[in-house]
Amino acid sequence: MIDPQRVAKARPDSAGEDIAWPAEDVIILRNRPIRIGTPASRMSRYADEVWHIQPAHRDAHAAIPAVWWPTFPDALRQHFRAFFLAALDHPVPVEPNGRQSPNEQASIGTFPYWIIDMRVIARWLSDQGFENLSDVRNHDVDAFRTYVLRLDRTDGRKADLIGAVRVLWLFRDHLPAEGRLGCDFPWPGQTANEVVGATVRKRRENKTPRISDATMEALLAWVLGMVEQIGPDIRNAWREYQQLEAGEHPSQTKYTGTTQQRFLTHIEHCTENDIALPGQVGEHGLEFAGNHVLRLVGVRKDLRSGLTPGHKRLFALSGLPISPVASVGEIAGRVNGKPWRPTPIDVSELPMMVRLLSAALFTAICYLSGMRPGEVLNLRRGCRTHDDETGELQVIGHRGKGFDRAPDSPDLTEPLRPWVVVDAVHAAIELAESLHDLPLLFPSSIVSAHHERPSGANARKGTAMNNDIQDLISWINSEFRRADGADAIPADPAGRINATRFRRTLARFIVRRPRGLIAAALQYGHVDTKVTLSYAGNEDPSWLQDVAVEKLELIIDQIEEDTRLLEDGEHVSGPSAQEYRDRVTQSAPFAGRVVTGVRNAERLLEQADPAVHHGQGMTCVWRAATAACRKAKLALGLPGADAPDETDCRSTCANLAYTDRDITELQQELVQLQADAADPLAPQPRRDRAAAQAAQHLAIIERHRDSATEDGRGIT
C-alpha cells in the first residue's frame, strides 16, 4: 500500500524555464488527494501504458475509465503524457482574455472527456506528419478547425474539440519546449461555440420526466413492504448462508469427523426431525443437492468437489424424501396477511434476492430523502443520526456536485452535510447495514465484486443500480399479481424507471397531495433553512428548486379551479370569506408566462401565489399577523412560522374560510363523529371528544348555510 503523504511532491520547474520530460517513475496522482485504501497496483506511474486516475475521484460509485496510451499515436504519445500529468498537477491556467476563473483544478470526472478529445487532436496531428507540438503554427490550428467543421458530429462535440485545443495551449508553460503548441492562443475573442458557429441555447426547464403517480405509489408501497416484511427474511437467509459457507453456523457444531461420518449424522438428524433432503431441479427433474449437503455438514469450501458414488448411494438408501429446494432461512414476513412465498429461499436464487433487496433499500432512501442517486450510493455505515435540539431524523453524507470535491485522504476530509428524512429512511439504512459488514451501504457488489472494483472501496455503479431497480420491478410483477391479474407495479408511460427521476417525482408527489402546499411550505422551508445553516453557505438548492417549480404549477391550477368554482356559484363563508374572494379574483387574470429558468419560476411564484391553502375541511387565507397557529407558537417561545400549521389550527382563527368543498368534507366527517359519540362500547372521554367535535362541525355547516346568498349560491 502506498501512503499518499510519502509520495514525492516534485513539481515541474516554473514557467519560462527549461522543463525536462517527466521521469518514468513519477506517480501521476502525486498532487491529488487519493482515496484511502487505494492499493499500490492502482497508483500508476508516468511510464505505465495504462494510467488509473479513478483513485483521485470523490465518488465511490463512479467508474472513471483509465487512460490507455497505446491508443495515442507513437510520435506524439510523450507529448500528451506530459500534458495530462501537468493537468493532474496544476490548476487550469487563465485564458489570455481572463474569462476563466483561476486556481481551479480540473475535476477527475473531466479527464475522460479530455482524453477522447485529445486523442482526436493527436491522431489528426499525426496524420499531418507532426512529431512535435512545437511545430504547430496558426495556420495548422485553422486547418484543424476546418477538419472539425466537416466532421459528422453535433455542434456541441465540435465545440468540445475546439476547447480541447485551447486547453492544450493553456498548459504550455508546464510542458517541455517540444510539447508546447507553437501557435498563438487559438481563435482569441471567440467562444468555442462561436468558432464552430453553434447556436447557444438558453438553459431550459428540467426535462427529466416525472414518474406517474400510479407507478410510483405502487413501487413505493412494495419497496416499503420489502423493508418491513420481505427484506428481513432475505437478510436472515443471507446471514445463515454466509455462516454455513464459513462453517460458523450453530447447527454445524454437531458434525465432526470424516465426510462419511458427517453424512451419517445428517441423515440421522433429518430422520428424527422429519426433514427432507435438499434438492434442485436439473436436467432429469428433481435431483439431490449434494453440494448444499456438504455445506450444511461443515465441509470446507475447498473440499466440496461433489459426492462420490458411495455417498450418493448412502443418501439414496436413507429413504428420506427430497425437497424441491436447497433452502436457507425461514419465511416470517407476510403480504396481504399471507406468507410472501410458500417455501424458504433457495441458495441458487439467494444472490439475486440480495441484489433486489439492495435495490429496494436504495429506492426507499433515494426517493424519500430527495438525495441525488450518487449521494445515496456514497452513503457509509453509521450515516444515521438525529438533531439533538429538534429530534429530527437525519442522514449525513457528502454533496454530490461541485468541481472542488476530493476524496477523503489521510490529511483531507470533506465536511459532511445533513438531509432531514422520515423514519422509513432510517429503517432502510438499518437493514442495509445489517445485510453486510462493508463500509459503504451500497458496495459494488454484496455477493461477488469484480477484482477491478472491490467492494471495500467502491460503490455500485449508477447504471448497475438502475438495472437492479428494473429487475426489482420485474420480479415483483412476476411474483405478485393484482386481484384483476394486472401488474403489481404498472408500467410508467415515460418508460424505464431511473433513479435520476426520483427527485422530481417526490417534489410533485408532495406538492400535489391533498394539503400538499401546507406540507411543502412547512417541511421544505425548514429543510432549506437547515441546509443553509449546516452547510455554511455551500447549500444545494436544486431539490428546493424542483419543489418551487411543482408548487408554481399547482398554484396556477388551483387559481383556475378556485376561479371557475366561484364563477359557477360556490359559496364561501367564515371570517376570511371576502379576503378569499378578493385574492382569487385578483389572481384569476394570470394568463401564463414562458419560464426558462428556475429563478424565473421562483420570482413568478412570489407574484402569483395568493397564499390560499386548502386544508382538511377548511381553507386558510394566510396572514401572518392574524394567524392563530403562529400566535400559539410565539406564546410558547417558539419561532413563528411563515406558513399555516394545520396540526395547530384553531377554530377561532381569523384566517379561516369555508368553501362548499370544505363543507362537503365536514359533512362526511360529521357522520363518523356522531357515530363515535353514540358508540356505547367506546370510553366516555372518547365519546365526549367526538361529541364536541361533531358540535363544532355542525355549527360551521349551519353558519355556512345561513350565510348563503338568496340567489341560491352554495350548498342547498
Side-chain angles (χ1 to χ4, degrees):
M1 188 76 64
I2 292 179
D3 183 355
Q5 290 185 325
R6 299 179 63 185
V7 174
K9 292 291 184 177
R11 294 178 180 271
D13 297 333
S14 60
E17 300 179 4
D18 291 337
I19 298 175
W21 294 104
E24 292 187 352
D25 62 345
V26 167
I27 294 176
I28 64 167
L29 298 177
R30 57 186 177 173
N31 289 320
R32 293 274 181 161
I34 305 302
R35 192 181 301 166
I36 297 173
T38 299
S41 61
R42 306 291 286 184
M43 294 295 290
S44 302
R45 297 180 183 272
Y46 183 79
D48 292 344
E49 288 298 288
V50 179
W51 282 12
H52 298 288
I53 59 177
Q54 183 170 359
H57 197 278
R58 160 84 258 180
D59 296 331
H61 74 288
I64 305 299
V67 185
W68 290 79
W69 287 114
T71 61
F72 280 74
D74 293 339
L76 296 171
R77 191 173 302 169
Q78 174 85 324
H79 302 70
F80 283 89
R81 282 181 191 265
F83 160 75
F84 276 108
L85 181 62
L88 288 167
D89 277 344
H90 300 281
V92 179
V94 181
E95 292 184 9
N97 57 14
R99 288 189 303 109
Q100 183 180 340
S101 301
N103 300 321
E104 294 180 0
Q105 275 193 311
S107 166
I108 290 296
T110 301
F111 278 77
Y113 302 100
W114 279 3
I115 291 165
I116 296 172
D117 295 336
M118 293 299 174
R119 187 183 295 120
V120 173
I121 297 172
R123 289 176 175 174
W124 183 85
L125 290 173
S126 179
D127 291 341
Q128 308 309 308
F130 287 98
E131 295 185 355
N132 287 299
L133 295 181
S134 58
D135 296 332
V136 177
R137 298 292 184 261
N138 292 344
H139 65 273
D140 296 316
V141 294
D142 286 335
F144 178 74
R145 172 183 177 274
T146 301
Y147 165 75
V148 169
L149 293 177
R150 291 173 178 172
L151 292 175
D152 185 17
R153 300 194 180 187
T154 64
D155 287 345
R157 287 294 298 122
K158 294 177 182 179
D160 290 341
L161 290 169
I162 296 298
V165 175
R166 286 176 160 173
V167 170
L168 185 60
W169 189 95
L170 290 174
F171 277 96
R172 65 196 315 273
D173 289 338
H174 301 294
L175 299 173
E178 297 90 338
R180 303 173 186 172
L181 287 176
C183 59
D184 298 327
F185 179 70
W187 312 290
Q190 291 182 287
T191 66
N193 285 310
E194 290 171 345
V195 171
V196 300
T199 302
V200 180
R201 296 181 179 181
K202 294 183 179 180
R203 184 178 178 182
R204 294 178 175 271
E205 177 189 355
N206 186 351
K207 295 297 184 181
T208 302
R210 308 176 186 96
I211 302 172
S212 68
D213 288 353
T215 301
M216 192 65 239
E217 289 180 21
L219 175 59
L220 180 60
W222 278 103
V223 162
L224 294 179
M226 291 283 287
V227 174
E228 298 168 359
Q229 297 294 333
I230 300 175
D233 288 349
I234 299 174
R235 183 268 319 276
N236 294 341
W238 179 244
R239 281 179 173 177
E240 180 178 321
Y241 176 81
Q242 294 291 88
Q243 290 177 330
L244 291 171
E245 278 284 276
E248 299 173 352
H249 194 273
S251 66
Q252 294 171 316
T253 57
K254 59 179 172 287
Y255 301 113
T256 58
T258 65
T259 301
Q260 179 88 356
Q261 291 171 329
R262 292 169 183 257
F263 283 164
L264 290 172
T265 302
H266 186 67
I267 291 173
E268 181 181 356
H269 170 73
C270 292
T271 302
E272 292 178 352
N273 295 277
D274 195 22
I275 299 175
L277 295 174
Q280 59 191 12
V281 178
E283 296 180 359
H284 306 291
L286 185 61
E287 300 174 353
F288 175 52
N291 281 336
H292 188 51
V293 172
L294 289 168
R295 182 183 296 114
L296 292 174
V297 301
V299 175
R300 289 200 340 243
K301 188 174 183 178
D302 58 333
L303 298 178
R304 298 178 205 156
S305 57
L307 301 184
T308 66
H311 291 155
K312 293 180 180 179
R313 189 163 47 252
L314 178 66
F315 283 103
L317 294 175
S318 69
L320 291 170
I322 298 177
S323 169
V325 295
S327 61
V328 286
E330 298 179 351
I331 302 302
R334 306 181 76 81
V335 173
N336 296 328
K338 300 178 181 179
W340 63 274
R341 62 179 289 156
T343 60
I345 300 172
D346 188 88
V347 292
S348 64
E349 60 181 339
L350 187 55
M352 179 267 294
M353 299 294 291
V354 170
R355 181 171 59 87
L356 298 185
L357 173 58
S358 182
L361 300 178
F362 170 85
T363 300
I365 298 170
C366 190
Y367 178 71
L368 293 176
S369 68
M371 299 170 71
R372 290 187 176 86
E375 291 166 339
V376 178
L377 289 171
N378 282 273
L379 289 176
R380 304 183 75 86
R381 183 178 299 277
C383 62
R384 286 178 297 155
T385 185
H386 68 279
D387 189 304
D388 292 333
E389 295 183 2
T390 65
E392 292 169 334
L393 301 180
Q394 296 179 347
V395 173
I396 54 173
H398 294 285
R399 58 194 169 107
K401 293 185 70 175
F403 76 92
D404 58 337
R405 298 183 308 130
D408 292 342
S409 59
D411 58 347
L412 177 66
T413 301
E414 184 180 330
L416 296 169
R417 62 151 294 181
W419 283 267
V420 179
V421 298
V422 293
D423 55 1
V425 173
H426 268 213
I429 293 174
E430 182 180 13
L431 186 54
E433 291 175 335
S434 68
L435 193 58
H436 56 77
D437 57 0
L438 296 165
L440 291 160
L441 289 188
F442 301 99
S444 55
S445 176
I446 299 174
V447 178
S448 56
H450 192 276
H451 69 279
E452 288 291 329
R453 302 189 74 248
S455 296
N458 295 278
R460 194 126 180 99
K461 295 180 184 178
T463 53
M465 184 58 76
N466 286 334
N467 291 336
D468 294 344
I469 293 172
Q470 201 64 39
D471 290 344
L472 172 66
I473 295 173
S474 298
W475 176 77
I476 291 173
N477 284 338
S478 64
E479 296 293 324
F480 307 96
R481 306 296 297 179
R482 295 172 58 91
D484 58 1
D487 288 342
I489 302 175
D492 181 66
R496 182 182 173 91
I497 305 300
N498 290 321
T500 53
R501 300 175 62 189
F502 286 153
R503 278 162 57 98
R504 287 210 78 199
T505 304
L506 178 60
R508 175 181 174 80
F509 186 86
I510 289 179
V511 172
R512 291 280 176 166
R513 293 298 89 189
R515 298 170 292 281
L517 279 180
I518 298 177
L522 289 175
Q523 173 68 6
Y524 292 101
H526 177 71
V527 172
D528 187 17
T529 302
K530 179 172 291 296
V531 168
T532 302
L533 294 177
S534 302
Y535 212 39
N538 288 324
E539 70 275 8
D540 171 18
S542 59
W543 159 233
L544 298 167
Q545 292 169 354
D546 285 343
V547 174
V549 173
E550 299 296 342
K551 185 176 178 181
L552 174 61
E553 292 183 4
L554 175 59
I555 286 176
I556 293 173
D557 292 344
Q558 180 179 295
I559 291 172
E560 293 178 354
E561 178 72 2
D562 291 345
T563 301
R564 182 185 65 80
L565 290 173
L566 277 180
E567 292 174 350
D568 289 347
E570 183 178 50
H571 178 54
V572 185
S573 63
S576 280
Q578 188 56 47
E579 181 69 16
Y580 171 87
R581 297 189 190 95
D582 293 343
R583 293 191 187 184
V584 172
T585 302
Q586 292 169 3
S587 301
F590 178 76
R593 188 176 304 171
V594 176
V595 176
T596 59
V598 173
R599 285 300 304 151
N600 292 340
E602 292 172 345
R603 287 191 292 268
L604 187 56
L605 179 59
E606 295 173 359
Q607 301 169 10
D609 187 2
V612 172
H613 301 270
H614 291 284
Q616 184 174 359
M618 61 85 183
T619 298
C620 177
V621 186
W622 174 254
R623 287 165 293 179
T626 56
C629 60
R630 185 173 184 272
K631 291 179 180 179
K633 285 183 171 63
L634 294 174
L636 295 173
L638 300 174
D642 295 326
D645 184 353
E646 190 174 2
T647 62
D648 200 21
C649 186
R650 313 296 175 92
S651 60
T652 57
C653 182
N655 289 356
L656 288 178
Y658 300 96
T659 66
D660 286 345
R661 288 164 285 170
D662 298 327
I663 297 303
T664 299
E665 191 169 350
L666 290 177
Q667 287 175 324
Q668 294 171 349
E669 293 179 3
L670 177 62
V671 174
Q672 183 60 50
L673 289 172
Q674 290 174 334
D676 293 342
D679 185 0
L681 299 179
Q684 188 62 43
R686 181 175 178 181
R687 283 185 286 167
D688 293 343
R689 181 173 181 273
Q693 290 177 323
Q696 185 181 75
H697 279 39
L698 186 59
I700 294 172
I701 294 170
E702 290 178 348
R703 283 197 300 268
H704 184 82
R705 291 181 181 276
D706 292 343
S707 63
T709 54
E710 296 180 356
D711 58 1
R713 294 174 65 91
I715 298 175
T716 58

